Amino acid sequence: MIAMDLEVIRDMSDNGKTMKLSRLCGALGAEVRDVDLARLDEAASAAIRDAFHEHLVLVFPDQDLAAGAQVAFTELFGPVEPHPLRTRRTVDGHPAVLIIENRKGRPGARNDYWHSDISHAERPPAVSVLHALKVTDGRGDTMFCNMYRAFDALSDGLRETLRGRRALHSGMATYTRSLEHNDARTIDPGEVKPPRAHPVVRTHPVTGRPALFVNPHFTIGFEDMTEDESRPLLDTLHAVATRPENVYRHRWRAGDVVMWDNRCTMHYAVMDYTEDMVRLLHRTTAAGDAPR
Ligand code: OGA
Ligand code: MN
Protein backbone atom coordinates (compact mmCIF):
# COMPACT_ATOMS: atom_id res chain seq x y z
CA MET A 1 0.00 0.00 0.00
CA ILE A 2 1.40 3.38 -1.00
CA ALA A 3 0.37 6.40 1.02
CA MET A 4 0.78 9.05 -1.67
CA ASP A 5 -0.25 11.91 0.46
CA LEU A 6 -1.34 12.21 4.00
CA GLU A 7 -3.88 14.77 4.94
CA VAL A 8 -5.55 15.22 8.25
CA ILE A 9 -9.25 15.62 7.69
CA ARG A 10 -10.36 16.54 11.17
CA ASP A 11 -9.72 16.37 14.87
CA MET A 12 -11.85 13.92 16.75
CA SER A 13 -13.37 15.71 19.67
CA ASP A 14 -14.41 12.61 21.59
CA ASN A 15 -11.01 11.09 22.21
CA GLY A 16 -8.54 13.78 21.27
CA LYS A 17 -7.20 11.66 18.41
CA THR A 18 -6.82 12.85 14.86
CA MET A 19 -8.49 10.96 12.05
CA LYS A 20 -5.97 10.51 9.24
CA LEU A 21 -6.66 9.92 5.59
CA SER A 22 -4.22 8.71 2.96
CA ARG A 23 -4.71 7.80 -0.67
CA LEU A 24 -4.28 4.14 -1.53
CA CYS A 25 -3.29 4.52 -5.18
CA GLY A 26 -3.63 6.90 -8.11
CA ALA A 27 -6.99 5.60 -9.29
CA LEU A 28 -9.30 5.59 -6.28
CA GLY A 29 -9.48 4.65 -2.62
CA ALA A 30 -8.33 6.13 0.65
CA GLU A 31 -7.52 4.66 4.02
CA VAL A 32 -8.86 6.34 7.15
CA ARG A 33 -7.10 5.64 10.43
CA ASP A 34 -7.62 6.61 14.03
CA VAL A 35 -11.38 6.61 13.94
CA ASP A 36 -13.96 4.39 15.63
CA LEU A 37 -16.91 3.89 13.27
CA ALA A 38 -19.09 2.85 16.20
CA ARG A 39 -18.66 6.30 17.81
CA LEU A 40 -18.93 9.01 15.17
CA ASP A 41 -20.19 12.49 15.91
CA GLU A 42 -21.89 14.69 13.29
CA ALA A 43 -18.70 16.39 12.14
CA ALA A 44 -16.79 13.13 11.77
CA SER A 45 -19.69 11.61 9.83
CA ALA A 46 -19.74 14.61 7.49
CA ALA A 47 -15.97 14.40 6.97
CA ILE A 48 -16.23 10.71 6.13
CA ARG A 49 -19.08 11.37 3.69
CA ASP A 50 -17.01 14.04 1.92
CA ALA A 51 -13.95 11.77 1.77
CA PHE A 52 -16.11 8.95 0.42
CA HIS A 53 -17.44 11.07 -2.43
CA GLU A 54 -13.93 12.16 -3.30
CA HIS A 55 -12.22 8.77 -3.08
CA LEU A 56 -15.11 6.32 -3.91
CA VAL A 57 -13.66 3.54 -1.77
CA LEU A 58 -12.76 3.98 1.89
CA VAL A 59 -10.81 1.52 3.99
CA PHE A 60 -11.04 1.68 7.80
CA PRO A 61 -8.57 -0.69 9.47
CA ASP A 62 -8.92 -2.08 13.01
CA GLN A 63 -12.66 -1.67 13.45
CA ASP A 64 -14.74 -3.61 15.93
CA LEU A 65 -18.27 -3.13 14.61
CA ALA A 66 -21.15 -5.19 15.96
CA ALA A 67 -23.89 -5.92 13.41
CA GLY A 68 -26.14 -3.15 14.77
CA ALA A 69 -23.31 -0.62 14.66
CA GLN A 70 -22.52 -1.60 11.06
CA VAL A 71 -26.16 -0.96 10.13
CA ALA A 72 -26.06 2.42 11.92
CA PHE A 73 -22.87 3.39 10.08
CA THR A 74 -24.31 2.30 6.71
CA GLU A 75 -27.45 4.39 7.42
CA LEU A 76 -25.27 7.51 7.08
CA PHE A 77 -25.30 6.85 3.33
CA GLY A 78 -28.94 5.90 2.77
CA PRO A 79 -31.66 3.60 4.07
CA VAL A 80 -30.24 0.15 4.84
CA GLU A 81 -31.95 -2.57 2.86
CA PRO A 82 -31.85 -6.38 2.95
CA HIS A 83 -30.39 -8.20 -0.08
CA PRO A 84 -33.13 -8.81 -2.65
CA LEU A 85 -31.84 -12.35 -3.20
CA ARG A 86 -33.28 -13.97 -0.10
CA THR A 87 -30.99 -16.93 -0.65
CA ARG A 88 -28.28 -15.36 1.48
CA ARG A 89 -27.71 -16.00 5.18
CA THR A 90 -27.99 -13.07 7.56
CA VAL A 91 -26.87 -12.35 11.13
CA ASP A 92 -29.43 -13.42 13.77
CA GLY A 93 -31.65 -10.50 14.63
CA HIS A 94 -30.15 -8.38 11.81
CA PRO A 95 -31.86 -9.30 8.52
CA ALA A 96 -29.98 -6.53 6.68
CA VAL A 97 -26.54 -7.90 7.62
CA LEU A 98 -25.47 -10.57 5.14
CA ILE A 99 -22.91 -13.20 6.06
CA ILE A 100 -20.24 -13.75 3.43
CA GLU A 101 -18.43 -16.86 4.48
CA ASN A 102 -16.01 -19.44 3.17
CA ARG A 103 -14.98 -22.42 5.28
CA LYS A 104 -14.82 -26.21 5.13
CA GLY A 105 -18.21 -27.57 4.19
CA ARG A 106 -19.45 -24.11 3.28
CA PRO A 107 -17.66 -22.77 0.20
CA GLY A 108 -18.39 -19.08 -0.33
CA ALA A 109 -20.45 -17.64 -3.15
CA ARG A 110 -18.16 -16.48 -5.91
CA ASN A 111 -17.97 -12.84 -6.88
CA ASP A 112 -15.02 -13.17 -9.25
CA TYR A 113 -16.41 -10.98 -11.97
CA TRP A 114 -16.38 -7.22 -12.36
CA HIS A 115 -19.72 -5.80 -11.30
CA SER A 116 -21.64 -3.04 -9.63
CA ASP A 117 -23.95 -4.54 -7.02
CA ILE A 118 -27.35 -5.63 -8.35
CA SER A 119 -27.20 -3.19 -11.26
CA HIS A 120 -30.26 -4.90 -12.77
CA ALA A 121 -32.45 -3.56 -9.94
CA GLU A 122 -34.69 -0.59 -10.59
CA ARG A 123 -32.82 1.21 -7.81
CA PRO A 124 -29.44 -0.49 -7.40
CA PRO A 125 -27.76 -0.10 -3.99
CA ALA A 126 -25.80 3.13 -3.68
CA VAL A 127 -23.23 1.97 -1.16
CA SER A 128 -21.97 -1.40 0.05
CA VAL A 129 -20.04 -1.94 3.28
CA LEU A 130 -17.98 -5.05 4.11
CA HIS A 131 -16.55 -5.73 7.55
CA ALA A 132 -13.92 -8.48 7.67
CA LEU A 133 -14.09 -10.68 10.77
CA LYS A 134 -11.82 -13.52 9.70
CA VAL A 135 -9.49 -13.70 6.74
CA THR A 136 -6.73 -15.91 5.42
CA ASP A 137 -3.82 -13.56 4.99
CA GLY A 138 -3.19 -12.63 1.38
CA ARG A 139 -6.16 -14.52 -0.07
CA GLY A 140 -9.52 -13.32 -1.30
CA ASP A 141 -8.47 -9.75 -2.12
CA THR A 142 -11.14 -7.46 -3.55
CA MET A 143 -10.43 -5.17 -6.51
CA PHE A 144 -12.15 -1.86 -7.27
CA CYS A 145 -12.09 0.39 -10.34
CA ASN A 146 -13.07 4.01 -10.92
CA MET A 147 -15.94 4.50 -13.40
CA TYR A 148 -15.60 8.30 -13.50
CA ARG A 149 -12.07 7.84 -14.76
CA ALA A 150 -13.20 5.12 -17.17
CA PHE A 151 -15.65 7.58 -18.74
CA ASP A 152 -13.13 10.43 -18.76
CA ALA A 153 -10.58 8.19 -20.51
CA LEU A 154 -12.79 7.74 -23.58
CA SER A 155 -12.46 9.87 -26.72
CA ASP A 156 -14.76 12.85 -27.13
CA GLY A 157 -16.53 11.00 -29.93
CA LEU A 158 -17.22 7.87 -27.92
CA ARG A 159 -18.36 9.87 -24.88
CA GLU A 160 -20.79 11.72 -27.13
CA THR A 161 -22.00 8.44 -28.67
CA LEU A 162 -22.68 6.94 -25.24
CA ARG A 163 -24.46 9.90 -23.67
CA GLY A 164 -28.23 9.42 -23.71
CA ARG A 165 -27.88 5.76 -24.67
CA ARG A 166 -29.27 3.03 -22.42
CA ALA A 167 -28.06 -0.51 -21.70
CA LEU A 168 -29.93 -3.56 -20.49
CA HIS A 169 -28.96 -5.19 -17.18
CA SER A 170 -30.10 -8.72 -16.41
CA GLY A 171 -30.16 -10.71 -13.18
CA MET A 172 -29.94 -13.99 -15.08
CA ALA A 173 -26.19 -14.38 -14.55
CA THR A 174 -26.62 -14.15 -10.77
CA TYR A 175 -29.40 -16.69 -10.74
CA THR A 176 -27.48 -19.10 -12.92
CA ARG A 177 -24.48 -18.67 -10.68
CA SER A 178 -26.39 -19.01 -7.42
CA LEU A 179 -27.74 -22.35 -8.61
CA GLU A 180 -24.18 -23.64 -8.44
CA HIS A 181 -23.81 -22.63 -4.80
CA ASN A 182 -24.47 -23.97 -1.41
CA ASP A 183 -26.44 -20.92 -0.35
CA ALA A 184 -28.88 -21.19 -3.21
CA ARG A 185 -32.45 -22.24 -2.99
CA THR A 186 -34.04 -23.72 -6.07
CA ILE A 187 -34.97 -20.87 -8.32
CA ASP A 188 -37.49 -20.89 -11.07
CA PRO A 189 -35.87 -18.99 -13.95
CA GLY A 190 -39.31 -17.42 -14.39
CA GLU A 191 -38.56 -15.45 -11.21
CA VAL A 192 -35.83 -13.56 -13.01
CA LYS A 193 -37.24 -10.22 -14.06
CA PRO A 194 -36.92 -9.01 -17.64
CA PRO A 195 -33.74 -7.02 -18.27
CA ARG A 196 -33.85 -3.44 -17.08
CA ALA A 197 -32.58 -0.42 -19.03
CA HIS A 198 -30.29 2.08 -17.30
CA PRO A 199 -28.35 5.00 -18.76
CA VAL A 200 -24.87 4.00 -19.97
CA VAL A 201 -23.53 7.24 -18.54
CA ARG A 202 -25.06 8.16 -15.21
CA THR A 203 -24.75 11.37 -13.27
CA HIS A 204 -23.77 10.80 -9.68
CA PRO A 205 -26.58 12.26 -7.54
CA VAL A 206 -24.16 13.76 -4.99
CA THR A 207 -21.08 14.79 -6.97
CA GLY A 208 -22.86 15.56 -10.25
CA ARG A 209 -20.01 13.84 -12.12
CA PRO A 210 -20.65 11.53 -15.10
CA ALA A 211 -19.69 7.87 -14.63
CA LEU A 212 -19.80 4.91 -16.97
CA PHE A 213 -22.52 2.54 -15.75
CA VAL A 214 -22.13 -0.83 -17.46
CA ASN A 215 -20.49 -3.99 -16.12
CA PRO A 216 -19.46 -7.36 -17.58
CA HIS A 217 -21.65 -9.40 -15.24
CA PHE A 218 -25.08 -7.82 -15.56
CA THR A 219 -25.00 -5.72 -18.73
CA ILE A 220 -26.15 -7.77 -21.72
CA GLY A 221 -26.36 -5.13 -24.44
CA PHE A 222 -27.43 -1.68 -25.54
CA GLU A 223 -31.15 -1.12 -25.53
CA ASP A 224 -31.57 -0.66 -29.27
CA MET A 225 -28.96 -3.16 -30.51
CA THR A 226 -28.59 -6.94 -30.47
CA GLU A 227 -26.38 -8.57 -27.86
CA ASP A 228 -23.93 -9.62 -30.58
CA GLU A 229 -23.71 -6.09 -31.91
CA SER A 230 -23.26 -4.69 -28.41
CA ARG A 231 -20.55 -7.07 -27.25
CA PRO A 232 -17.48 -5.51 -28.92
CA LEU A 233 -18.23 -2.03 -27.63
CA LEU A 234 -19.11 -3.31 -24.14
CA ASP A 235 -15.84 -5.29 -24.14
CA THR A 236 -13.95 -2.12 -25.04
CA LEU A 237 -15.59 -0.16 -22.23
CA HIS A 238 -14.90 -2.90 -19.69
CA ALA A 239 -11.27 -3.15 -20.81
CA VAL A 240 -10.80 0.60 -20.35
CA ALA A 241 -12.48 0.50 -16.93
CA THR A 242 -10.38 -2.38 -15.60
CA ARG A 243 -6.93 -1.25 -16.75
CA PRO A 244 -4.46 -1.85 -13.92
CA GLU A 245 -3.93 1.92 -13.66
CA ASN A 246 -7.64 2.30 -12.84
CA VAL A 247 -7.75 -0.38 -10.13
CA TYR A 248 -7.15 -0.56 -6.38
CA ARG A 249 -6.63 -4.06 -4.99
CA HIS A 250 -7.51 -4.46 -1.33
CA ARG A 251 -5.67 -7.01 0.77
CA TRP A 252 -7.91 -7.83 3.73
CA ARG A 253 -7.00 -7.80 7.40
CA ALA A 254 -9.39 -8.90 10.11
CA GLY A 255 -11.07 -5.75 11.43
CA ASP A 256 -11.13 -3.92 8.09
CA VAL A 257 -14.25 -2.08 7.08
CA VAL A 258 -14.28 -1.31 3.36
CA MET A 259 -17.04 0.67 1.68
CA TRP A 260 -17.57 1.44 -1.99
CA ASP A 261 -19.87 3.52 -4.15
CA ASN A 262 -21.75 1.33 -6.64
CA ARG A 263 -22.71 4.42 -8.67
CA CYS A 264 -19.15 5.13 -9.79
CA THR A 265 -17.09 1.95 -9.20
CA MET A 266 -17.04 -1.75 -10.09
CA HIS A 267 -15.52 -4.46 -7.91
CA TYR A 268 -14.17 -7.99 -8.31
CA ALA A 269 -13.60 -10.60 -5.58
CA VAL A 270 -10.40 -12.48 -6.37
CA MET A 271 -11.03 -16.24 -6.15
CA ASP A 272 -7.62 -17.51 -5.07
CA TYR A 273 -8.66 -19.43 -1.96
CA THR A 274 -9.90 -22.92 -1.30
CA GLU A 275 -12.61 -24.22 0.98
CA ASP A 276 -10.21 -24.69 3.90
CA MET A 277 -9.15 -21.02 3.88
CA VAL A 278 -11.37 -19.14 6.26
CA ARG A 279 -13.05 -15.95 5.08
CA LEU A 280 -15.87 -14.31 7.05
CA LEU A 281 -17.30 -10.87 6.37
CA HIS A 282 -20.49 -8.99 7.17
CA ARG A 283 -22.10 -6.98 4.40
CA THR A 284 -24.60 -4.15 4.49
CA THR A 285 -25.95 -1.93 1.73
CA ALA A 286 -27.54 1.50 1.58
CA ALA A 287 -30.31 1.95 -0.97
CA GLY A 288 -29.81 4.17 -4.00
CA ASP A 289 -31.86 6.04 -6.59
CA ALA A 290 -32.83 4.97 -10.08
CA PRO A 291 -29.76 5.80 -12.23
CA ARG A 292 -30.23 8.90 -14.38
C1 OGA B 1 -20.17 -8.14 -2.50
C2 OGA B 1 -18.97 -8.64 -3.15
C3 OGA B 1 -16.68 -9.02 -2.65
C4 OGA B 1 -15.87 -9.87 -1.72
O1 OGA B 1 -20.31 -8.37 -1.28
O2 OGA B 1 -20.98 -7.49 -3.17
O3 OGA B 1 -18.87 -8.56 -4.35
O4 OGA B 1 -14.63 -9.73 -1.81
N1 OGA B 1 -18.02 -9.10 -2.33
O5 OGA B 1 -16.41 -10.66 -0.95
MN1 MN C 1 -20.56 -7.31 -5.14
Side-chain angles (χ1 to χ4, degrees):
M1 176 180 15
I2 309 162
M4 293 187 56
D5 60 25
L6 188 72
E7 46 183 296
V8 173
I9 53 180
R10 65 169 249 110
D11 289 330
M12 296 291 287
S13 49
D14 59 338
N15 56 10
K17 274 201 196 160
T18 303
M19 185 159 78
K20 292 190 190 66
L21 177 141
S22 51
R23 281 182 190 279
L24 289 162
C25 69
L28 76 170
E31 183 181 83
V32 184
R33 289 198 166 270
D34 297 332
V35 61
D36 179 356
L37 296 183
R39 299 172 65 225
L40 292 176
D41 60 21
E42 269 303 311
S45 301
I48 287 173
R49 261 196 303 265
D50 287 351
F52 181 59
H53 291 125
E54 183 177 348
H55 298 285
L56 325 185
V57 171
L58 292 182
V59 173
F60 303 91
D62 303 321
Q63 298 297 317
D64 182 12
L65 269 191
Q70 182 170 341
V71 170
F73 173 69
T74 309
E75 288 276 355
L76 294 175
F77 301 89
V80 170
E81 52 180 14
H83 198 282
L85 270 186
R86 314 253 167 206
T87 57
R88 305 290 175 86
R89 286 191 312 139
T90 55
V91 174
D92 282 346
H94 297 277
V97 183
L98 248 67
I99 301 172
I100 295 184
E101 185 173 30
N102 180 78
R103 64 176 155 84
K104 240 193 167 51
R106 191 178 270 288
R110 300 178 70 139
N111 279 304
D112 52 336
Y113 44 85
W114 282 104
H115 65 286
S116 172
D117 285 329
I118 325 176
S119 68
H120 53 90
E122 183 183 358
R123 293 186 180 80
V127 176
S128 302
V129 179
L130 278 184
H131 183 24
L133 305 180
K134 293 180 191 169
V135 296
T136 298
D137 204 25
R139 303 298 177 109
D141 290 359
T142 308
M143 304 197 292
F144 299 91
C145 71
N146 182 335
M147 298 301 272
Y148 293 134
R149 279 171 53 109
F151 182 65
D152 292 345
L154 304 175
S155 63
D156 293 349
L158 186 48
R159 283 203 302 267
E160 224 23 71
T161 301
L162 295 175
R163 273 188 198 279
R165 198 165 284 284
R166 305 205 310 162
L168 297 173
H169 296 243
S170 165
M172 189 57 92
T174 300
Y175 279 87
T176 308
R177 196 143 201 159
S178 68
L179 288 176
E180 297 160 8
H181 284 291
N182 65 305
D183 59 354
R185 64 188 164 94
T186 309
I187 295 162
D188 176 356
E191 281 183 57
V192 179
K193 303 218 174 67
R196 187 178 309 278
H198 287 311
V200 173
V201 184
R202 74 183 288 187
T203 303
H204 193 287
V206 178
T207 66
R209 292 182 63 191
L212 200 54
F213 192 65
V214 289
N215 66 79
H217 191 57
F218 295 122
T219 311
I220 56 173
F222 297 103
E223 189 177 42
D224 49 359
M225 299 182 196
T226 66
E227 291 186 24
D228 284 347
E229 288 169 340
S230 304
R231 186 58 41 208
L233 181 49
L234 284 175
D235 286 348
T236 299
L237 299 178
H238 297 146
V240 169
T242 61
R243 277 179 190 149
E245 293 76 13
N246 197 36
V247 170
Y248 165 64
R249 177 166 173 152
H250 183 67
R251 177 180 178 146
W252 291 96
R253 305 278 176 190
D256 284 350
V257 168
V258 175
M259 63 184 302
W260 63 89
D261 192 330
N262 286 298
R263 299 163 293 193
C264 52
T265 65
M266 295 196 290
H267 57 285
Y268 181 113
V270 176
M271 186 64 221
D272 61 353
Y273 52 90
T274 53
E275 215 182 295
D276 56 327
M277 297 179 181
V278 171
R279 192 174 194 266
L280 176 65
L281 305 98
H282 285 172
R283 179 192 196 269
T284 43
T285 51
D289 307 325
R292 60 181 98 235

